[in-house]
Amino acid sequence: MGTAVSTFAGQNVGAGKYDRVSTSCKKSTLVVLVFSLMMIAVMFLFGDPIVRLFVNEPDVIEIGARGLRITSFMYFALGMIYITRGMLNGVGDAAYAMINGLTEVVGRIGFAYLLMAIPAVGMWGVWYTNGLTWILAGAAGIIRFFQGKWKTKSVVKDVAF
């Protein structure tokens, strides 16, 4: 999805059709929303069998399936990372996309550190760290999209053929 949005956004910014970029991001968001909701159902119904494809230990299967269920609620945010970062790269706002990637790294370290300090969270902090990081980076990309600064980042300006 991110690559498709990137290519589409780059072509349309080059053509000066910024409204099409916005429309494609909105439609891609809808696709991610529907897919995310479907994946929540899949993880709750089939989490155990999915993990069982890789391991046989009952304790590991239980932990892995619960982890999939925890992160499934945050798949929408993960999808938003790919859509917004792809769009930002496509329109030439690659520096912000890189900063957004660094936000992910900082989020992973920061959330892991914070959640480790809460004894009641325990090992589940690993799974929550992933999801919270996706929410942080996804929200940052959404904010950048709505700020509209990406409209001024085009590498190619007014080229006549």
Side-chain angles (χ1 to χ4, degrees):
M1 184 71 76
T3 303
V5 170
S6 179
T7 303
F8 187 83
Q11 291 172 340
N12 281 285
V13 164
K17 298 181 179 181
Y18 295 95
D19 59 319
R20 293 185 76 191
V21 175
S22 294
T23 300
S24 73
C25 286
K26 291 172 186 171
K27 288 183 179 183
S28 297
T29 298
L30 182 61
V31 169
V32 166
L33 177 63
V34 170
F35 181 77
S36 298
L37 292 172
M38 288 177 12
M39 291 310 295
I40 290 170
V42 167
M43 293 307 154
F44 272 82
L45 294 172
F46 304 109
D48 288 22
I50 290 170
V51 176
R52 202 173 290 118
L53 290 171
F54 302 98
V55 294
N56 295 323
E57 297 83 8
D59 291 344
V60 176
I61 293 168
E62 183 181 334
I63 291 167
R66 182 171 174 194
L68 290 174
R69 290 179 185 108
I70 290 169
T71 57
S72 70
F73 285 107
M74 300 161 204
Y75 286 164
F76 177 74
L78 179 61
M80 294 313 300
I81 292 171
Y82 286 105
I83 289 171
T84 58
R85 197 175 294 159
M87 186 275 294
L88 293 170
N89 279 325
V91 301
D93 199 358
Y96 185 79
M98 182 190 70
I99 291 168
N100 190 253
L102 292 173
T103 300
E104 269 193 273
V105 173
V106 171
R108 288 191 190 282
I109 294 167
F111 286 124
Y113 182 76
L114 289 171
L115 292 172
M116 281 181 5
I118 304 170
V121 174
M123 70 176 170
W124 304 111
V126 172
W127 301 96
Y128 287 111
T129 292
N130 272 337
L132 292 170
T133 300
W134 297 339
I135 291 169
L136 175 68
I142 292 167
I143 289 168
R144 183 65 168 195
F145 172 79
F146 282 110
Q147 284 176 335
K149 293 180 182 179
W150 56 272
K151 294 177 183 176
T152 65
K153 301 295 181 178
S154 177
V155 176
V156 179
K157 305 275 186 203
D158 299 325
V159 177
F161 292 99

